[in-house]
């Protein structure tokens, strides 16, 4: 059994002591000692010293009782000072082994190791902290043991650098990044600072009326945009400094970070979805971002590591020319962007009506405020943006669609943040056909290809949105058929691979149609089940009305009932892992 680095004791003790010591010191020296005079101050000092010693003693005991071991089949962790906790994490469940180091940890020569497993909403196992060399050894050994290689037969896998972020490209990443999490702070700052600043300015500024409102709104929008751009620039540079993506055998390994340095791995056999992401600025200059999502993986999502919460996917390429991004997608998955089937043209008017109603609601709210507060608020200004809403509806329709290739379903959605998702058929867990009240009135539906990726928990799956009702039924059936074929093909490939590994004569694949009994058995083996779709919800204004001009070109729905979706669970180990409970066993020995 191995132990953590001895340097983890003073580092962890310092981490725990800082906040507690400052809190007690503030109480003692800001008046808390006045109750006891000299004895009170002396007692406060004794209390501080006792707390520091207690924390140091606890961390020393934690270090002595924390053990880990790499067995042939599992990664074992035993920890706990008062309550013992034993974990056994099978290697086949481990999705990623991530290494992170902040500035202080790099000075100490230590690193944090996170073990991420399929279906995990948080880190399954953590080592805080080991030496950096030991962290690299653990990452390498876990990859080797996952491949089933012994120490004697292990060979150094080939390394191929796929992408490096040059300083110029890093600057472009920052310039095209926006962090919109600060508008609230900016608003509070502006509303509190404007009266103070205006008292020092001799130039007469209007304090009421239409001009004052326009100046205030324009200044606020400009300030929010500048602050958001500045925050996005800093965040992008700090996160993606010295970014490098390397293919090492059957894994992708990445390094990035300025203040917090990350070193992680992305197993290619655990890949669920590839996403090309862009925005109007990136599209104008020909850039895009590539995101890779694995089952249940949430990189940088451990708050104990002091990092921000991840989105369940990792940037394989933070920013590059779109052609380069597409080339890497083709290299990883062998798929290119297809010709997209867009929603019916009448849906453009649906989007325009939706945006126009939103502007009307804003104007109505301003009118109410104008009446109640007796202020000269230009409530009619939002109505001037109705032509913009119409154009926005056209652009949303233009950037939405889906396509099918031989091995993938590809969906595209969004204008301000457009996401093109590539999902292999065999990765699909469930095919869902949903129709809201308003979609049924417009005779459209949404077909979602749900995967085992963590983004599916927040509605981030690949979805063909607002397609014709008849097309939705056909797409659902096509996806169901292709999923079954893809699963059967992968099952046959695994069988032949096992036979070849055992030296057994490889039989020719059975491509004949199964009889009823065989089909039933295969369906049970694949975990196929028919499940109803999600109940319809509401996402639009209730005053929308469908366009009936296109009824002659598209058959209307004669049945307004719900459409039932086909749910298909994959038998792959990696997808089974994503929907199982967390691996490992816990035991408490008091």
């Amino acid at each position: 059994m191995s132990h953590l680095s001895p340097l983890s004791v003073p580092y962890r003790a310092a981490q725990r002591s800082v906040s507690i010591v400052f809190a007690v010191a503030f109480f003692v020296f800001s008046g808390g000692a006045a109750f006891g005079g000299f004895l009170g101050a002396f007692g406060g000092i004794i209390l501080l010293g006792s707390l520091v010693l207690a924390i140091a003693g606890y961390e020393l005991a934690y270090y002595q009782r924390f053990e880990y071991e790499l067995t042939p089949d599992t990664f074992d962790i035993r920890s706990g000072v008062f309550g013992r906790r034993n974990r056994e994490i099978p290697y086949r469940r481990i999705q990623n082994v991530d290494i992170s180091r902040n500035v202080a940890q790099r000075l100490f020569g230590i690193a944090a190791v996170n073990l991420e497993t399929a279906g995990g909403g948080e880190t399954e196992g953590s080592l805080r902290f080991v030496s950096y060399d030991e962290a690299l050894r653990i990452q390498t050994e876990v990859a080797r043991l996952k491949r089933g290689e012994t120490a004697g037969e292990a060979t150094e896998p080939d390394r191929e650098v796929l992408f490096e972020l040059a300083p110029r490209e890093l600057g472009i990443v920052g310039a095209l990044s926006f962090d919109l999490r600060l508008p609230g702070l900016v608003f509070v700052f502006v509303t509190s600072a404007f009266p103070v600043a205006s008292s020092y300015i001799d130039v007469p500024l209007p304090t009421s009326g239409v001009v004052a409102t326009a100046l205030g709104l324009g200044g606020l929008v400009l300030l929010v945009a500048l602050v958001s751009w500045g925050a996005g620039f800093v965040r992008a540079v700090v996160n993606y400094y010295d970014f490098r993506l390397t293919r090492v055998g059957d894994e992708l390994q990445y390094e990035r970070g300025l203040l917090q340095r990350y070193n992680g791995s992305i197993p290619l056999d655990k890949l669920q979805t590839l996403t090309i992401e862009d925005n109007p600025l990136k599209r104008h200059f020909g850039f895009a971002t590539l995101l890779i999502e694995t089952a249940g993986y949430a990189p940088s999502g451990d708050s104990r590591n002091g990092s921000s919460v991840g989105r369940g996917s990792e940037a394989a390429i933070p920013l590059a020319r779109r052609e380069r991004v597409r080339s890497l997608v083709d290299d990883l998955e062998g798929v290119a962007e297809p010709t997209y089937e867009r929603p019916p043209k009448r849906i453009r008017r649906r989007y325009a009506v939706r945006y126009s109603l939103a502007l009307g609601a804003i104007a109505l709210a301003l009118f109410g405020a104008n009446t109640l507060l007796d202020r000269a608020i230009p409530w009619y200004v939002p109505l001037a943006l109705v032509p913009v809403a119409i154009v926005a509806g056209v652009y949303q329709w233009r950037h939405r669609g889906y396509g099918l290739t031989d091995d993938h379903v590809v969906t595209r959605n969004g204008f301000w943040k457009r996401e093109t998702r590539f999902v292999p058929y065999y990765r699909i867990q469930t095919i869902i056909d949903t129709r809201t009240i308003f979609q049924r009135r417009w005779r459209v539906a949404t077909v979602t290809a749900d995967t085992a990726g963590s983004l599916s928990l927040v509605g981030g799956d690949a979805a063909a949105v607002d397609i014709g009702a008849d097309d939705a039924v056909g797409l659902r059936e096509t996806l169901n058929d292709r999923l079954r074929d893809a699963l059967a093909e992968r099952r046959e490939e695994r069988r032949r691979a096992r036979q070849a590994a055992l030296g057994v004569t490889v039989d020719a694949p059975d491509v004949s149609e199964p009889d009823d009994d065989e089909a039933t058995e295969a369906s049970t083996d694949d975990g196929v089940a028919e499940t109803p779709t999600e109940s319809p919800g509401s996402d639009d204004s209730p005053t929308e009305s469908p366009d009936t001009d296109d009824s002659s070109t598209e058959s209307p729905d004669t049945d307004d009932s719900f459409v039932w979706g086909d749910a298909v669970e994959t038998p792959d180990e990696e997808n089974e892992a994503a929907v199982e409970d967390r691996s490992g066993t816990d035991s408490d020995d008091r």
Side-chain angles (χ1 to χ4, degrees), residues 179 182 186 222-232:
D179 192 336
L182 297 179
V186 173
L222 179 60
L223 185 58
V224 168
L226 289 176
V227 173
S228 299
W229 176 81

Side-chain angles (χ1 to χ4, degrees), residues 213-492:
T213 303
L215 288 177
L217 290 176
L220 180 60
V221 170
L222 179 60
L223 185 58
V224 168
L226 289 176
V227 173
S228 299
W229 176 81
F233 183 90
V234 173
R235 186 169 180 267
V237 171
V238 169
N239 283 340
Y240 294 115
Y241 175 81
D242 195 23
F243 183 93
R244 183 181 298 106
L245 181 69
T246 307
R247 186 202 293 267
V248 183
D250 56 356
E251 290 186 341
L252 296 179
Q253 294 185 0
Y254 64 90
E255 298 179 51
R256 65 176 177 86
L258 179 60
L259 301 179
Q260 185 88 4
R261 190 71 182 167
Y262 294 99
N263 184 325
S265 59
I266 305 173
L268 292 176
D269 61 343
K270 306 297 183 182
L271 186 150
Q272 296 289 320
T273 305
L274 290 178
T275 302
I276 297 178
E277 184 182 283
D278 58 31
N279 55 39
L281 273 178
K282 292 179 181 180
R283 289 197 296 272
H284 177 73
F285 292 102
F287 290 98
T289 297
L290 178 63
L291 302 173
I292 288 182
E293 181 185 356
T294 56
Y297 177 48
S300 307
D302 190 359
S303 59
R304 291 172 297 177
N305 199 22
S307 57
S308 59
V309 177
R311 56 166 288 177
S313 59
E314 189 58 61
I317 295 183
L319 190 75
R321 287 289 177 183
R322 189 171 184 86
E323 295 76 15
R324 190 174 182 183
V325 173
R326 289 178 177 176
S327 176
L328 184 56
V329 171
D330 189 28
D331 183 41
L332 294 176
E333 281 291 317
V335 59
E337 287 193 68
T339 301
Y340 293 100
E341 295 289 337
R342 293 194 180 102
K345 290 184 178 181
R346 66 177 183 275
I347 298 302
R348 294 179 298 186
R349 286 183 282 277
R350 178 179 188 243
Y351 298 150
V353 169
R354 176 191 299 178
Y355 296 145
S356 299
L357 289 173
L359 292 175
I362 296 174
L364 183 61
L366 292 177
F367 179 79
N370 190 22
T371 304
L372 295 175
L373 302 177
D374 194 18
R375 310 276 293 186
I377 300 176
W379 57 269
Y380 45 82
V381 170
L383 299 179
L385 299 178
V386 171
V388 178
I390 297 174
V391 175
V394 174
Y395 272 97
Q396 182 176 2
W397 171 82
R398 181 176 297 177
H399 290 272
R400 176 163 282 173
Y402 74 93
L404 301 179
T405 68
D406 293 339
D407 302 308
H408 296 74
V409 55
V410 186
T411 64
R412 186 177 68 183
N413 292 287
F415 171 70
W416 295 109
K417 182 181 178 182
R418 188 176 67 177
E419 294 181 330
T420 305
R421 302 183 184 277
F422 301 82
V423 181
Y425 294 128
Y426 66 89
R427 294 297 189 188
I428 298 176
Q429 294 264 326
T430 309
I431 303 168
I432 307 172
D433 183 336
T434 58
R435 307 183 188 191
T436 67
I437 295 174
F438 304 106
Q439 283 181 316
R440 291 202 301 271
R441 288 173 60 85
W442 288 83
R443 306 186 308 281
V444 294
T446 296
V447 177
T448 303
D450 181 42
T451 65
S454 58
L455 286 184
S456 63
L457 301 177
V458 293
D461 279 314
V465 182
D466 288 338
I467 62 176
D470 294 338
D471 293 337
V473 175
L475 176 60
R476 191 189 68 238
E477 294 175 352
T478 300
L479 288 178
N480 190 39
D481 294 339
R482 296 195 180 189
L483 172 57
R484 292 175 184 272
D485 294 341
L487 292 177
E489 182 179 351
R490 283 180 62 82
R491 187 166 56 249
E492 178 64 23

Side-chain angles (χ1 to χ4, degrees), residues 68-117:
Y68 65 91
E69 182 180 12
L70 283 80
T71 69
D73 300 313
T74 60
F75 191 104
D76 298 346
I77 300 177
R78 302 173 186 173
S79 62
V81 176
F82 303 107
R84 296 292 291 167
R85 190 184 191 195
N86 301 334
R87 308 302 308 271
E88 296 179 356
I89 308 174
Y91 295 122
R92 66 188 182 91
R93 293 289 188 254
I94 297 178
Q95 296 276 49
N96 311 77
V97 180
D98 287 347
I99 302 171
S100 62
R101 300 178 295 155
N102 59 30
V103 176
Q105 291 162 9
R106 293 203 293 269
L107 291 176
F108 275 77
I110 57 178
V113 179
N114 295 327
L115 304 175
E116 312 287 350
T117 59

